[in-house]
Amino acid sequence: LEFLEGQGQFLQSYTETVVERIFYASGRSWDGKMQLSQFRKINVAGILGSIEDGIDVNISNPGLFSYKHFYVLFCSFFELDLNRDSMLDARDLLRYFNGTLSRRIISRIMMGKGKPSEHAPKRPPNDAKAKAKAEKRRAKGGSRYDLNVRLSDCRMTYTDFIWFLLSEIDKTSPTAVEYWFRCLDLDGDGVLSIYELEYFYDEQISRMEEEMAGDIIMLDDLMCQLSDLVRPEHEGMITLKDLRRVPPTIIPVFFDAFMNLSRFVEHESRTSCLQRQLAQLSMRALPKTSFEDVIQMRIEFLASLPNPWSEFADL
């Protein structure tokens, strides 16, 4: 990385990226602090030792110090930052992947609900006029979870964006699961209720009516399917603990259903393709191979699939 010498902006951004990815990989470092157990978990000392001879951008597993992954993160942010002020607003994030994210989830992201933002939003003045407007919104029934924050004041820094993009591309990581759970948990009580999920899915239904010619998946049908997949301890109440028990292939389907319509639709076709691959694998192995060995082969096949983030960064 000697070519970064003298490149102030790139060198600073690369350093910030590495630091944020270390904290992201450690998990639960939402306050910007890391415990010794988390530090040991990600083996920072081992990673530093592995790069003593330099960083090869072409190796198969470049890890947290990957320049290629930094470049993808930085360019993704740069493309959205039209006014080049090194911060994104809600309108910038609306253009992410051609508007794939819902407005309601963008509001939660920008408010710093997934990860506390470094650019804290301002709150309206506590005067009679502001209170009257809040009461008027509540009377309309559209602000049941209004957090009294002006979205126009919310900004996302580059380091905030790193956590967002890593979580958006690979929703299966422990940090991503908690990131999106915090966004969906409107009242912050640690439980996703049917009312909270309905709040987000209402917008998805509107988008289906506008953008899709096929059948619309109603909330009741969706919740029945997701409940069978997640199997929460308490019916109609999904906790972070419930989601952590779910197989990784299910997690993106759950979250995308409420915030990313295009990805949600893609899951169906991808799942069908994966099922065909597994069926072909089983047919080729049986009856010469025992059933137990076939199951192990299927498990190994699923484990060999590329990590979503690495697959995205390598495109």
Side-chain angles (χ1 to χ4, degrees), residues 277-289:
Q277 290 177 306
L278 289 171
Q280 292 172 358
L281 179 66
S282 300
M283 290 177 63
R284 287 196 299 266
L286 291 172
K288 297 180 181 180
T289 308

Side-chain angles (χ1 to χ4, degrees), residues 201-202 204-222 225 261 264:
Y201 199 66
D202 280 347
Q204 299 294 70
I205 290 179
S206 298
R207 298 184 72 179
M208 289 180 197
E209 293 173 342
E210 295 174 1
E211 303 173 14
M212 298 172 59
D215 296 333
I216 294 176
I217 305 173
M218 303 309 295
L219 179 63
D220 289 344
D221 297 331
L222 175 69
Q225 296 177 35
L261 183 59
F264 179 56

Side-chain angles (χ1 to χ4, degrees), residues 107-113 121-124 134 137-138 142-151 154 182-183 185-188 199:
S107 296
R108 296 289 292 173
I109 295 167
M110 296 304 299
M111 288 177 185
K113 300 305 173 182
K122 300 177 182 178
R123 293 182 176 273
R137 287 195 297 270
R138 278 192 287 270
S143 57
R144 178 172 49 198
Y145 301 105
D146 181 27
L147 299 176
N148 199 30
V149 173
R150 284 197 297 254
L151 193 58
C154 298
R182 290 159 64 103
C183 284
D185 186 13
L186 294 169
D187 54 15
Y199 171 78

Side-chain angles (χ1 to χ4, degrees), residues 97 100 253 256 260-273:
F97 266 75
T100 187
V253 180
D256 285 333
N260 192 325
L261 183 59
S262 59
R263 286 256 174 93
F264 179 56
V265 173
E266 287 175 3
H267 286 308
E268 183 175 355
S269 58
R270 176 173 289 190
T271 300
S272 299
C273 179

Side-chain angles (χ1 to χ4, degrees), residues 14 39 115 122 160 188 194 202 205 230 283:
Y14 173 77
F39 183 82
K115 173 187 177 293
K122 300 177 182 178
D160 295 331
I194 185 65
D202 280 347
I205 290 179
V230 176
M283 290 177 63

Side-chain angles (χ1 to χ4, degrees), residues 38-249:
Q38 295 171 312
F39 183 82
R40 287 172 173 167
K41 175 184 175 183
I42 58 176
N43 190 25
V44 174
I47 295 174
L48 290 173
S50 68
I51 61 172
E52 287 183 350
D53 296 329
I55 299 175
D56 185 353
V57 297
N58 295 318
I59 62 177
S60 58
N61 185 23
L64 304 178
F65 289 83
S66 167
Y67 179 80
K68 181 193 295 184
H69 290 188
F70 152 69
Y71 190 76
V72 170
L73 285 160
F74 184 81
C75 289
S76 298
F77 180 85
F78 190 79
E79 289 173 0
L80 295 175
D81 183 22
L82 293 181
N83 61 2
R84 302 294 182 256
D85 64 350
S86 298
M87 287 192 291
L88 305 180
D89 58 24
R91 290 172 297 181
D92 293 326
L93 209 56
L94 277 170
R95 294 185 291 102
Y96 172 77
F97 266 75
N98 298 317
T100 187
L101 295 175
S102 71
R103 291 176 178 270
R104 289 182 176 179
I105 201 65
I106 287 176
S107 296
R108 296 289 292 173
I109 295 167
M110 296 304 299
M111 288 177 185
K113 300 305 173 182
K115 173 187 177 293
S117 176
E118 295 184 356
H119 188 83
K122 300 177 182 178
R123 293 182 176 273
N126 188 23
D127 55 19
K129 186 176 181 180
K131 289 182 179 179
K133 286 185 176 180
E135 289 296 332
K136 187 176 181 180
R137 287 195 297 270
R138 278 192 287 270
K140 292 181 178 179
S143 57
R144 178 172 49 198
Y145 301 105
D146 181 27
L147 299 176
N148 199 30
V149 173
R150 284 197 297 254
L151 193 58
S152 59
D153 290 332
C154 298
R155 296 291 185 274
M156 175 183 281
T157 64
Y158 172 62
T159 52
D160 295 331
F161 182 80
I162 293 171
W163 285 64
F164 158 73
L165 191 61
L166 291 174
S167 299
E168 208 289 308
I169 297 301
D170 182 9
K171 297 181 177 71
T172 64
S173 72
T175 304
V177 172
E178 187 167 353
Y179 182 99
W180 294 118
F181 184 91
R182 290 159 64 103
C183 284
L184 296 178
D185 186 13
L186 294 169
D187 54 15
D189 65 349
V191 176
L192 300 184
S193 67
I194 185 65
Y195 304 106
E196 289 170 311
L197 297 178
E198 180 184 16
Y199 171 78
F200 290 99
Y201 199 66
D202 280 347
E203 183 177 352
Q204 299 294 70
I205 290 179
S206 298
R207 298 184 72 179
M208 289 180 197
E209 293 173 342
E210 295 174 1
E211 303 173 14
M212 298 172 59
D215 296 333
I216 294 176
I217 305 173
M218 303 309 295
L219 179 63
D220 289 344
D221 297 331
L222 175 69
M223 289 307 300
C224 286
Q225 296 177 35
L226 293 180
S227 181
D228 290 340
L229 294 173
V230 176
R231 297 185 180 277
E233 290 186 7
H234 303 285
E235 189 67 28
M237 302 173 63
I238 298 175
T239 65
L240 188 57
K241 181 181 177 181
D242 293 329
L243 291 177
R244 284 175 173 159
R245 296 198 311 263
V246 174
T249 54

